[in-house]
């Protein structure tokens, strides 16, 4: 076991030991309508559970509860009603003042103070005798009419859950998600401190947590790990995703009533997710007091497209005393068009002497001969997407007695994408792609700056290529999970989970038509914010364009999870609980890509009539001719339905993981020196057998291979939360955790991408070791009654090793791949960029998180309905990037991918009984997405973004409200770049503003 991890674990145990020695019963939480499930039991223990669930401090003399029992309380009740039911028959009455409940014998009990204020309590430590600060809270508080339903209530509930956790945690509850102006869960999660998101096709897609990318965040749905793949229309963002990261665009946010972001690790949690865990929870029937029906209907439109599309949600729930059933459905359609300017990347490009015009000065000529960093393809592009999203959840709950409960959760999700994409590029037979210029291209003028970057140039003899492709893909997601809990005795609780899920991504249609315009003058200028191209021929004249190539592709990815857990918790005394359990997980990822590329301009030109040549049908920077996809395929007769004979080399790999794990953990809830102390400390062991199968390259071509490896280890963890004052919580955590390598990184295979005059090759590495990290973190949180909180936290993670990508450029013949994979005009000497993941040196990351939430109840008049939620983060993390091989090997320290050093979120809201409005702002500064292709082109990424959204509503009837939302009000661009030194532009696109209008109703 790693000694650093053991040391941290030992330190946490040492901190907790004095508390264990003087353990006393205690508990804490909040005060509002919520779900209760407290069994008939000893009154003292039941009050502790009540305090834990609600966050209320319960003050009572020990003699008053000695020997008393309660019949328990179950169901969705107000706090007052639940307390009355809990005390029924005990001869005790309660007086509630703020966040304190005082219990006294009935004869002496003061009458409860009436109040019209629905306050959400502040969690404070429950003690057997009231400390001095409790007496201060006995004073009467003036009533007011602050509304705590709706958004305020959701914030209060999130605050309660945050405070009640032992480790660092942030939560979003149902109204918090449904009411935020968000298209999906990713955009809801960006409000959480430490979370930033990536966007694609106009909406959030994946998250980074605490500066670590999506592969480092584990996502669980109803207690079970989840993975779902989708696709981007843009190659610069990866195209089809095949990774461990969860794509949050798969589900509508309305399907979930709670999202919990757990930043600290405990031994009882599944191993994995070094950054943290995102827990998604769907609605359950016993979440509601009785039968419930909710419907919401909205129309949605985007300024880059036309028309209005639907967004519909419905939920129906009912239950008896013992059985409940719920079903919810969410369906939406959104059209978006992300368009702008795109380079395929930047390459070190050498010009032959004959390709340099006479007007180029001698110094620039020398640079061109030796090689300059030049953009590839210089492409005005548009990505139109018509996306439909369907989600259906079902939940069954069975409660035959206080000692047994069973929950069964079912979820089906389907995401459809129809894409209609267009591009114009210098990628014909004589292109500006690849690493050499040696055809008819003549550079007539050039601007090369001090970073050896070709910022502007003009040419003659360029062949252009237009691209039109139609894509149809879908993702089907299925999950079934059963959770059972049994209390055979008052001290023993047994929990069982069993579940299976599957995610199927299919892309049956990916059909491209390439048209070519020969021998044209052309110039580009990369210096403006949006690069500018100039063309020497009429791009909209169909007579200038001829057919070049037809491409067909099909993709398939399948992920499956089988999961079983058995664990038990035994209450050693009122303060100390021992937990232990075991788990089995079986994960399989498989897939393939089929491709077929056929040139139709050689050996003879295939003529296409002008009526099959169109202009771009969506918004674009400029118009040009493209091929009519259906018409040209019908005319030519190329096959559009592929078979296994069209397999793309290296794409058909399979990763099979089987993991056995077990844990033991102590939970503590006690008082030390009058301060409430909660803690857990434990140890987890895991063993993972990995089988990676596919095809590897040899001199004779690809051969089948299957490689088996095992990884295992011990993972200690400890978390402490101490209430150092009535409204201040201090947390400290230390843990050791593991993160398995990415699926593509583990592949016993390689994938190849071809382009004129070059290409790229990506190889996997089944022998990669898992990431392992030692983490330390802490926070101080100040809770201001029900009106808000302020917190500051820090964390530090030290990874023993960090997987990085080794890159090199080499002639294709040196890769060992067969020449049959090359396209027209390429041979063994064609240069290819080759990359492969390797176990590199370790990495470190540290950060600070600051959060503030407050209702402005101290302001006069209507201003008291204002409030603010804000947070900011600073992260710093680095790793070693490797470039080249052998004597040409070079390294450089770069920031971690997906790490924005600074990020801020703020929401200003106003809410009264009739109407409410919120404006939200999310900023993150630039971050890297890769190490780049060479030491002189290292670190590519995305410039900083600032997204502004709003939501407004009017309550027209009880339970009925009208809603208006606006997303991306400033039409924020996405700006990608190569090189952290030279900032060579790759992408500048905008996706438009999205507006929705509609209503929601509850019955």
């Amino acid at each position: 076991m790693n000694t650093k991890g053991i040391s941290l674990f030992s330190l946490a145990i040492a901190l907790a030991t004095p508390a264990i020695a003087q353990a006393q019963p205690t508990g804490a939480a909040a005060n509002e309508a919520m779900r209760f499930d407290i069994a008939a039991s000893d009154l003292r223990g039941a009050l502790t559970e009540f305090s834990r669930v609600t966050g209320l401090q319960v003050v009572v003399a020990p003699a008053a509860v000695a020997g008393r029992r309660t019949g328990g309380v179950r169901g969705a009740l107000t706090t007052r009603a639940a307390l009355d039911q809990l005390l029924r028959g005990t001869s005790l009455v309660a007086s509630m003042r703020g966040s304190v409940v005082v219990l006294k014998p009935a004869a002496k009990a003061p009458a409860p103070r009436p109040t019209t204020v629905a306050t959400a309590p502040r969690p404070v430590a429950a003690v057997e005798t009231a400390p001095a600060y409790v007496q201060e809270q006995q004073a009467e508080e003036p009533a007011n009419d602050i509304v705590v339903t709706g958004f305020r209530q959701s914030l209060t509930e999130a605050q309660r859950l945050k405070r009640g956790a032992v480790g660092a945690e942030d939560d979003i509850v149902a109204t918090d998600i449904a009411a935020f102006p968000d298209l999906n869960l990713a955009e809801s999660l960006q409000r959480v401190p430490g979370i930033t998101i990536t966007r694609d096709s106009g909406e959030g897609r994946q998250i980074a947590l605490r500066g670590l990318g999506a592969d480092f965040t584990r996502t669980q749905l109803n207690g079970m790990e989840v993975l779902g793949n989708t696709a981007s229309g843009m190659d610069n963002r990866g195209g089809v995703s095949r990774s461990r990261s969860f794509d949050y665009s798969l589900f509508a946010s309305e399907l979930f009533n709670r999202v919990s972001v757990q930043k600290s690790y405990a031994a009882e949690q599944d191993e994995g997710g070094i950054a943290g865990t995102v827990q998604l929870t769907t609605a359950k029937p016993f979440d509601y007091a009785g039968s419930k029906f909710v419907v919401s209907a909205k129309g949605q439109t985007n300024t880059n497209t036309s028309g209005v599309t639907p967004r519909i949600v419905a939920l129906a729930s009912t239950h008896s005393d013992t059985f409940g059933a719920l079903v919810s459905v969410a369906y939406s359609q959104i059209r978006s068009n992300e368009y702008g300017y795109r380079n395929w990347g930047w390459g070190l490009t050498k010009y032959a002497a004959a390709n340099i015009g006479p007007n180029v000065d001698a110094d620039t000529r020398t640079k061109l001969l030796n090689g300059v960093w030049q953009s590839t393809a210089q492409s005005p592009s548009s990505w139109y997407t018509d996306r439909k999203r369907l989600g259906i959840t079902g939940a069954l709950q069975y409660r035959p007695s206080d000692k047994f409960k069973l929950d069964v959760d079912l979820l089906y999700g389907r995401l459809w994408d129809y894409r209609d994409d267009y591009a114009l590029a210098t990628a014909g037979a004589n292109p500006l792609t690849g690493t050499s210029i040696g055809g008819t291209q003549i550079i007539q003028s050039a601007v090369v700056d001090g970073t050896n970057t070709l910022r502007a140039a003009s040419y003659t003899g360029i062949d252009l290529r237009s691209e039109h492709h139609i894509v149809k893909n879908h993702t089907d997601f299925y999950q079934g999970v059963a959770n059972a809990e049994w209390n055979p005795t008052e001290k023993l609780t047994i929990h069982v989970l069993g579940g299976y899920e599957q995610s199927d991504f299919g892309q049956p249609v990916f059909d491209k038509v390439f048209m070519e315009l020969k021998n044209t003058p052309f110039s580009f200028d990369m210096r403006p914010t949006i690069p500018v191209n100039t063309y020497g021929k009429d791009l909209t004249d169909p007579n200038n364009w001829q057919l070049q190539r037809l491409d067909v592709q099909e993709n398939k990815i399948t992920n499956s999870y089988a999961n079983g857990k058995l664990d038990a918790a035994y209450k050693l005394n009122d303060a100390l609980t021992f937990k232990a359990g075991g788990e089995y997980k079986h994960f399989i990822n498989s897939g393939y890509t089929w491709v077929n590329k056929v040139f139709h301009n050689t050996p003879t030109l295939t003529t296409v009539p002008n009526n099959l040549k169109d202009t771009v049908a969506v918004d674009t920077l400029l118009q040009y001719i493209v091929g009519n996809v259906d018409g040209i395929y019908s005319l030519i007769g190329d096959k559009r339905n592929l078979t296994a004979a069209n397999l793309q080399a290296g794409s058909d790999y399979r990763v099979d993981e089987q993991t056995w794990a077990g844990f033991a953990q102590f939970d503590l809830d006690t008082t030390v020196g009058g301060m409430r102390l909660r803690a857990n400390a434990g140890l987890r062991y895991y063993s993972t057998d990995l089988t990676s199968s596919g095809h590897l390259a040899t001199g004779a071509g690809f051969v089948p291979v299957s490689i088996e490896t095992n990884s295992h280890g011990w993972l200690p963890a400890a978390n402490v939360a101490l209430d150092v004052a009535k409204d201040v919580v201090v947390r400290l955590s230390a843990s050791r955790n593991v993160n398995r390598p990415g699926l593509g990184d583990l592949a016993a295979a390689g994938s190849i991408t071809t382009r004129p005059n070059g290409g790229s090759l990506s190889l996997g590495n089944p022998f990669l070791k898992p990431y392992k990290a030692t983490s330390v973190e802490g926070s101080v949180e100040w809770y201001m009654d029900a009106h808000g909180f302020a917190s500051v936290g820090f964390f530090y993670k030290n990874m023993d090793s960090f997987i990085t990508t080794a890159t090199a450029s080499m002639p294709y013949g040196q890769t060992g791949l067969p020449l049959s994979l090359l396209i027209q005009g390429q041979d063994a000497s064609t240069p290819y960029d080759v990359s492969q993941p390797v176990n590199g040196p370790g990495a470190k990351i540290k950060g600070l998180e600051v959060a503030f939430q407050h209702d402005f109840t101290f302001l006069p008049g209507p201003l008291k309905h204002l409030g603010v939620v804000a947070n900011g983060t600073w992260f710093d993390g680095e790793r070693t990037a490797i470039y080249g091989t052998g004597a040409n090997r070079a390294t450089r320290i770069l920031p971690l991918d997906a790490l924005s050093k600074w990020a801020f979120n703020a929401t200003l809201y106003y809410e009264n009984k009739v109407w409410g409005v919120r404006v939200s702002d999310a900023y993150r500064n630039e971050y890297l997405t890769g190490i780049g292709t060479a030491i002189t082109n290292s670190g590519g990424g995305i410039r900083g973004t600032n997204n502004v959204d709003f939501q407004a509503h009017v309550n027209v009837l009880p339970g009925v409200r009208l809603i208006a939302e606006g997303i991306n009000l400033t039409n924020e661009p996405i700006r990608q770049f190569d090189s952290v030194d030279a900032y060579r532009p790759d992408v500048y696109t905008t996706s438009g503003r999205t507006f929705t209008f509609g209503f929601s109703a509850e019955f």
Side-chain angles (χ1 to χ4, degrees):
M1 188 192 305
N2 183 280
T3 56
K4 291 181 288 186
I6 288 294
S7 299
L8 290 169
F9 180 68
S10 302
L11 173 62
I13 291 293
L15 290 172
T17 299
I20 297 174
Q22 50 180 311
Q24 299 177 31
T26 185
N31 173 26
E32 60 186 343
M34 59 187 67
R35 173 72 191 169
F36 293 87
D37 192 5
I38 301 175
S41 61
D42 176 78
L43 179 59
R44 185 174 182 175
L47 288 173
T48 298
E49 177 65 9
F50 175 85
S51 180
R52 185 193 67 78
V53 171
T54 63
L56 292 174
Q57 175 180 309
V58 179
V59 180
V60 62
V65 294
R68 298 183 188 271
R69 292 186 60 81
T70 176
V73 58
R74 173 181 295 163
L77 302 169
T78 65
T79 305
R80 178 80 246 187
L83 184 58
D84 289 344
Q85 184 174 330
L86 195 68
L87 297 177
R88 189 174 299 159
T90 65
S91 299
L92 295 176
V93 293
S95 174
M96 299 179 63
R97 295 180 176 88
S99 60
V100 178
V101 176
V102 179
L103 302 184
K104 295 181 180 180
K108 300 179 182 179
R113 175 176 61 87
T115 177
T116 59
V117 183
T119 57
R122 170 184 60 218
V124 289
V127 294
E128 294 183 334
T129 58
Y133 67 79
V134 172
Q135 303 304 323
E136 296 171 5
Q137 294 182 35
Q138 308 301 312
E140 293 290 318
E141 299 178 20
N144 57 55
D145 60 350
I146 296 299
V147 178
V148 293
T149 58
F151 184 64
R152 286 179 185 266
Q153 182 180 3
S154 72
L155 293 178
T156 301
E157 173 69 3
Q159 175 182 325
R160 182 187 69 82
L161 293 168
K162 176 181 177 69
R163 180 163 188 176
V166 178
E169 178 176 312
D170 289 284
D171 295 88
I172 310 173
V173 295
T175 56
D176 211 351
I177 291 177
F180 264 134
D182 300 324
L183 295 175
N184 59 51
L185 282 172
E187 299 196 11
S188 298
L189 282 164
Q190 71 177 322
R191 323 291 179 189
V192 173
I195 289 185
T196 52
I197 70 173
T198 59
R199 289 180 170 84
D200 182 73
S201 299
E203 60 178 306
R205 189 176 180 193
Q206 294 179 325
I207 70 170
L209 177 56
R210 285 184 162 179
L212 290 170
D215 275 350
F216 293 93
T217 301
R218 176 183 53 221
T219 301
Q220 292 183 320
L221 174 57
N222 292 322
M224 184 177 169
E225 192 163 348
V226 62
L227 189 153
N229 297 111
T230 62
S232 167
M234 189 185 297
D235 295 342
N236 299 63
R237 300 183 195 144
V240 176
S241 67
R242 189 171 177 183
S243 67
R244 294 187 188 273
S245 58
F246 181 66
D247 195 322
Y248 287 87
S249 68
L250 184 58
F251 296 126
S253 59
E254 293 93 340
L255 291 174
F256 305 90
N257 69 352
R258 180 182 173 186
V259 177
S260 176
V261 181
Q262 300 167 342
K263 301 175 182 178
S264 303
Y265 178 66
E268 64 183 330
Q269 294 176 313
D270 291 2
E271 73 284 347
I274 284 176
T277 297
V278 177
Q279 292 273 8
L280 310 178
T281 305
T282 55
K284 311 288 191 293
F286 281 109
D287 291 340
Y288 308 102
S291 296
K292 188 82 167 181
F293 180 73
V294 180
V295 64
S296 173
K298 301 175 184 177
Q300 192 164 270
T301 187
N302 181 275
T303 56
N304 280 10
T305 64
S306 60
V308 177
T309 55
R311 187 176 182 91
I312 302 170
V313 181
L315 178 147
S317 175
T318 188
H319 66 81
S320 64
D321 290 340
T322 60
F323 180 78
L326 177 148
V327 63
S328 69
V329 180
Y331 173 80
S332 64
Q333 179 183 12
I334 182 170
R335 301 187 185 107
S336 67
N337 179 34
E338 184 176 352
Y339 74 95
Y341 195 98
R342 172 197 175 201
N343 288 310
W344 295 356
W346 290 73
L348 189 62
T349 305
K350 296 182 179 180
Y351 283 73
N355 297 97
I356 303 175
N359 295 325
V360 176
D361 64 83
D363 180 59
T364 303
R365 177 182 295 271
T366 300
K367 293 177 180 178
L368 294 171
L369 290 170
N370 293 331
V372 294
W373 286 101
Q374 177 175 300
S375 58
T376 301
Q378 304 90 26
S379 176
S381 304
S382 300
W383 296 268
Y384 172 87
T385 304
D386 189 340
R387 170 169 290 177
K388 299 176 183 178
R389 186 185 288 113
L390 172 67
I392 303 173
T393 74
L396 301 174
Q397 290 186 294
Y398 182 50
R399 302 285 191 271
S401 70
D402 293 335
K403 295 186 176 182
F404 181 80
K405 54 186 176 183
L406 173 66
D407 293 354
V408 177
D409 294 290
L410 306 171
L411 187 147
Y412 170 73
R414 184 176 176 91
L415 180 71
W416 296 266
D417 270 352
Y418 169 82
R419 298 183 183 273
D420 195 6
D421 301 338
Y422 303 84
L424 174 65
T426 56
N430 292 284
L432 295 179
T433 62
T435 57
S436 62
I437 301 295
T440 62
Q441 312 96 312
I442 305 296
I443 187 167
Q444 303 291 352
S445 65
V447 177
V448 181
D449 69 9
T451 64
N452 199 34
T453 302
L454 185 62
R455 298 290 179 180
S458 63
Y459 300 84
T460 56
I462 297 295
D463 295 339
L464 301 178
R465 190 184 80 182
S466 73
E467 176 180 335
H468 181 199
H469 72 275
I470 292 176
V471 179
K472 296 179 182 179
N473 61 51
H474 59 268
T475 302
D476 288 293
F477 180 87
Y478 314 83
Q479 187 196 61
V481 182
N483 282 275
E485 187 175 293
W486 177 42
N487 299 97
T489 70
E490 289 187 0
K491 291 187 175 182
L492 179 63
T493 300
I494 297 173
H495 172 249
V496 179
L497 178 147
Y500 177 82
E501 66 191 30
Q502 184 167 314
S503 171
D504 295 321
F505 172 82
Q507 189 162 264
V509 177
F510 189 96
D511 299 343
K512 289 187 177 184
V513 172
F514 296 100
M515 305 291 291
E516 188 176 35
L517 185 153
K518 304 285 289 184
N519 191 27
T520 182
F522 169 76
S523 66
F524 67 79
D525 190 345
M526 296 292 160
R527 292 169 293 185
T529 302
I530 306 177
V532 176
N533 292 353
T534 305
Y535 302 89
K537 288 187 178 180
D538 183 358
L539 303 180
T540 61
D541 184 352
N543 296 305
N544 288 334
W545 294 88
Q546 300 297 330
L547 181 63
Q548 185 201 45
R549 194 175 93 207
L550 298 182
D551 284 9
V552 179
Q553 183 181 124
E554 295 185 27
N555 299 81
K556 179 71 174 178
I557 301 172
T558 297
N559 299 289
S560 64
Y561 262 114
N563 195 188
K565 297 181 185 180
L566 172 64
D567 56 74
Y570 186 77
K571 198 170 185 178
L572 299 173
N573 55 47
D574 287 337
L576 193 61
T577 300
F578 175 71
K579 297 178 178 179
E583 179 179 13
Y584 172 76
K585 291 191 294 186
H586 188 193
F587 169 62
I588 300 175
N589 173 274
S590 60
Y592 60 80
T593 300
W594 296 342
V595 295
N596 189 47
K597 300 181 179 181
V598 182
F599 282 86
H600 289 279
N601 61 349
T602 182
T604 59
L605 179 66
T606 301
T607 302
V608 174
N610 284 350
N611 66 343
L612 294 181
K613 301 173 185 178
D614 303 325
T615 54
V616 178
V618 299
D619 288 350
T620 176
L621 291 179
L622 74 161
Q623 280 291 344
Y624 47 90
I625 291 294
V626 296
N628 182 296
V629 174
D630 291 334
I632 290 179
Y633 271 95
S634 178
L635 174 71
I636 302 300
D638 280 6
K639 62 179 179 181
R640 303 177 76 174
N641 296 316
L642 305 182
T643 67
N646 301 104
L647 178 69
Q648 176 175 292
S651 68
D652 62 333
Y653 63 88
R654 173 186 168 104
V655 175
D656 189 316
E657 288 179 344
Q658 297 190 61
T659 299
W660 291 93
F663 79 94
Q665 177 176 301
F666 286 94
D667 287 3
L668 177 69
D669 195 343
T670 188
T671 56
V672 176
M675 299 178 293
R676 186 188 183 203
L677 173 67
R678 292 163 294 147
N680 59 59
L683 187 65
R684 187 177 188 88
Y685 177 79
Y686 75 94
S687 178
T688 300
D689 293 312
L690 168 72
T691 302
S692 180
S693 55
H695 293 82
L696 288 180
T698 68
F702 279 89
V703 296
V705 64
S706 180
I707 298 173
E708 297 182 357
T709 60
N710 173 269
S711 61
H712 57 274
W714 297 90
L715 304 175
N719 300 275
V720 177
L722 180 66
D723 293 356
V724 298
K726 63 179 181 179
D727 51 9
V728 178
V729 180
V730 174
R731 303 184 196 275
L732 180 65
S733 300
S735 65
R736 181 84 169 155
N737 203 351
V738 65
N739 215 99
R740 297 178 178 92
L743 299 173
D745 291 345
L746 290 170
S751 61
I752 187 171
T753 301
T754 60
R755 62 175 182 264
N757 293 352
S760 60
L761 174 66
S762 178
L763 299 174
N765 184 354
F767 299 102
L768 291 172
K769 299 177 181 179
Y771 304 87
K772 292 184 178 181
T774 300
S775 301
V776 178
E777 60 187 279
S779 65
V780 178
E781 301 162 7
W782 173 34
Y783 291 88
M784 297 165 271
D785 292 319
H787 303 307
F789 73 93
S791 67
V792 59
F794 74 91
F795 73 91
Y796 173 80
K797 297 180 186 293
N798 184 16
M799 299 189 193
D800 301 345
S801 67
F802 193 87
I803 296 170
T804 189
T805 302
T807 65
S809 182
M810 64 182 66
Y812 179 85
Q814 295 181 15
T815 67
L817 301 182
L819 296 179
S820 60
L821 301 179
L822 297 178
I823 62 173
Q824 176 195 12
Q826 296 186 349
D827 56 29
S829 65
T830 301
Y832 266 68
D833 295 325
V834 181
S835 63
Q836 185 176 36
V838 296
N839 288 111
K844 299 178 181 179
I845 184 170
K846 56 190 175 184
L848 292 173
E849 297 175 349
V850 178
F852 177 77
Q853 173 189 318
H854 205 280
D855 297 329
F856 295 157
T857 53
F858 55 88
L859 294 177
L863 295 179
K864 64 187 175 186
H865 299 292
L866 283 168
V868 67
V869 181
N871 61 74
T873 57
W874 172 85
F875 299 141
D876 188 29
E878 57 187 27
R879 46 78 185 275
T880 301
I882 301 173
Y883 305 92
T885 57
N888 296 322
R889 187 178 185 270
T891 62
R892 178 177 178 176
I893 302 299
L894 287 175
L896 293 169
D897 287 353
L899 184 149
S900 289
K901 196 158 192 174
W902 297 97
F904 305 97
N905 282 279
T907 297
L908 180 66
Y909 58 89
Y910 183 95
E911 186 173 55
N912 61 30
K913 295 178 181 179
V914 178
W915 63 278
V917 63
R918 292 191 296 283
V919 178
S920 300
D921 182 274
Y923 167 81
R924 67 179 301 188
N925 76 334
E926 73 176 42
Y927 59 97
L928 298 188
T929 56
I931 67 170
T933 56
I935 191 72
T936 51
N937 191 45
S938 57
I942 297 180
R943 304 299 289 265
T945 59
N946 191 71
N947 287 77
V948 180
D949 310 320
F950 88 92
Q951 193 265 6
H953 71 268
V954 177
N955 299 318
V956 294
L957 291 170
V960 180
R961 63 173 50 184
L962 300 178
I963 302 170
E965 299 165 339
I967 301 168
N968 191 24
L969 297 182
T970 60
N971 196 19
E972 183 74 3
I974 295 178
R975 298 174 296 163
Q976 293 181 241
F977 65 89
D978 272 16
S979 176
V980 292
D981 303 309
Y983 287 101
R984 300 167 178 135
D986 268 340
V987 173
Y988 184 101
T989 60
T990 59
S991 55
R993 303 167 178 86
T994 299
F995 297 96
T996 65
F997 305 90
F999 76 94
S1000 66
E1002 295 185 18
F1003 306 97

